[in-house]
Amino acid sequence: MISVVLVLAAFLDYLIGDPWGWPHPVRAMGGVISRLTKLALQYCQNPLSQRLAGMILGVIVIIGSGLVGWIIIQTARSVHPFLGIAVESILVASCFALKSLRNAAMEVLEPLMKGELASARQVLSNYVGRDTANLSEAEILRAVLETVTENATDGVIAPLFYSMVGAFIPIIGIAPLALAYKASSTLDSMVGYKETPYTHIGWFSARLEDYLTWLPCRLMVITLSLLSLKPVNVWRICRRDAIKDPSPNSGWSECAYAAVLGVQMGGINWYRGVAKEKPLLGDAIYPITSDSIDKALQLTRYVFLLWLGLAVVIIHNFSIN
């Protein structure tokens, strides 16, 4: 049944993704994080108390998300086993963002390909933190590719990885562990910043997400390098460039895609009028185009399907033994 849940979840993500306006666990997580963060900032006025509050915030949201998911699944199973399978599949599917990544990329690319730069910039601003008002077409394409490749790890591969881990912990199960990871990722995206007011309250969430994503990220890089049929070259470029990125994961993820596609990412980005230079990742053999983005999305799907297939085989053999 665990294999069935994983396959159903992957199919649901492929079929419908995360329709806008539908109930979604991440929205619930975001609401809780927002309320608890406001309370913490209101009552914790010094760095030490904010750091402690950040730890408590992380523990509550991460464990709470997994626990709520577990209760929902157990309740559904008590009604009927098939209902339990359906509910767990939906919850696991909500942790995968493969279709959402493609939809977001297409939202930006459609007006861009029509020459509607202003519209493409506006849509892009919904998905990135950088200033988009003055971006050129080439910079928009780079921003989309960087977003797609950075989020391939924490939005696709890492949730699948923790679903696989959960399959071997019967008491917990696949959905609760995937939801717990998703909560960690959501915390990082909401409060894991060095800038005020999150400098101290977000440190725990940022570090924990880095640690939780480290192994799935490396597994994805290895898989991408094997798919490229040039693993030594991909690994050489990652060893040369990815280590320059301050993030222990996003730099590796982006650099692996850059090496496989033969493009270069990184450079100067603007945030609230302040220039920030990111390290250059990969070699600029080819320019970044809409085809580059489409190939990156296809590569993410191949990696996902390979690991999904591996998970099904492992779980099946484990259940037989």
Side-chain angles (χ1 to χ4, degrees), residues 297-319:
L297 290 166
Q298 288 287 358
L299 283 168
T300 304
R301 177 170 293 156
Y302 295 153
V303 174
F304 178 81
L305 290 175
L306 279 171
W307 280 98
L308 177 65
L310 181 62
V312 170
V313 170
I314 293 173
I315 292 168
H316 177 71
N317 290 334
F318 182 80
S319 63

Side-chain angles (χ1 to χ4, degrees), residues 6 10 13 18 92-102 147-164 178 181-182 185 213 216-217 220 253 257 296-308:
L6 276 175
D13 179 64
D18 300 317
V92 174
S94 73
C95 297
F96 300 151
L98 191 57
K99 189 176 183 68
S100 297
L101 280 179
R102 175 170 288 277
T147 300
V148 163
T149 55
E150 177 183 352
N151 288 284
T153 299
D154 57 10
V156 180
I157 304 305
L160 176 61
F161 172 82
Y162 284 101
S163 296
M164 292 170 63
Y181 173 79
K182 202 69 176 180
S185 179
T213 307
C217 179
M220 189 184 74
S253 181
Y257 281 94
L297 290 166
Q298 288 287 358
L299 283 168
T300 304
R301 177 170 293 156
Y302 295 153
V303 174
F304 178 81
L305 290 175
L306 279 171
W307 280 98
L308 177 65

Side-chain angles (χ1 to χ4, degrees), residues 63-239:
I63 295 179
S65 297
L67 181 60
V68 169
W70 184 86
I71 291 172
I72 291 172
I73 293 166
Q74 295 305 315
T75 303
R77 284 176 179 170
S78 68
V79 176
H80 196 282
F82 286 159
L83 180 61
I85 292 173
V87 169
E88 189 165 17
S89 298
I90 292 170
L91 288 176
V92 174
S94 73
C95 297
F96 300 151
L98 191 57
K99 189 176 183 68
S100 297
L101 280 179
R102 175 170 288 277
N103 288 345
M106 292 304 107
E107 276 188 54
V108 180
L109 292 178
E110 284 178 7
L112 186 64
M113 294 302 99
K114 297 176 183 176
E116 301 170 1
L117 271 180
S119 179
R121 291 166 181 159
Q122 180 59 43
V123 176
L124 179 63
S125 68
N126 296 325
Y127 299 107
V128 300
R130 71 190 71 178
D131 300 340
T132 63
N134 299 308
L135 294 184
S136 65
E137 179 178 341
E139 289 171 324
I140 292 173
L141 288 168
R142 175 168 69 86
V144 174
L145 184 60
E146 288 174 352
T147 300
V148 163
T149 55
E150 177 183 352
N151 288 284
T153 299
D154 57 10
V156 180
I157 304 305
L160 176 61
F161 172 82
Y162 284 101
S163 296
M164 292 170 63
V165 173
F168 297 96
I169 311 176
I171 297 176
I172 297 178
I174 60 177
L177 208 60
L179 287 167
Y181 173 79
K182 202 69 176 180
S184 173
S185 179
T186 305
L187 276 161
D188 180 55
S189 66
M190 291 184 67
V191 301
Y193 301 103
K194 294 181 180 180
E195 295 81 9
T196 56
Y198 305 114
T199 306
H200 302 292
I201 203 166
W203 74 276
F204 176 79
S205 297
R207 295 291 77 75
L208 180 62
E209 201 273 344
D210 285 344
Y211 293 136
L212 291 177
T213 307
W214 192 92
L215 181 55
C217 179
R218 269 61 187 178
L219 291 174
M220 189 184 74
V221 170
I222 292 170
T223 309
L224 282 171
S225 68
L226 293 174
L227 285 173
S228 74
L229 302 180
K230 298 178 180 179
V232 175
N233 183 61
V234 172
W235 196 255
R236 176 186 62 81
I237 293 174
C238 286
R239 289 280 297 174

Side-chain angles (χ1 to χ4, degrees), residues 18-38:
D18 300 317
W20 184 258
W22 285 27
H24 196 284
V26 170
R27 294 193 185 96
M29 294 172 190
V32 172
I33 294 168
S34 180
R35 289 181 178 86
L36 292 180
T37 301
K38 287 179 181 177

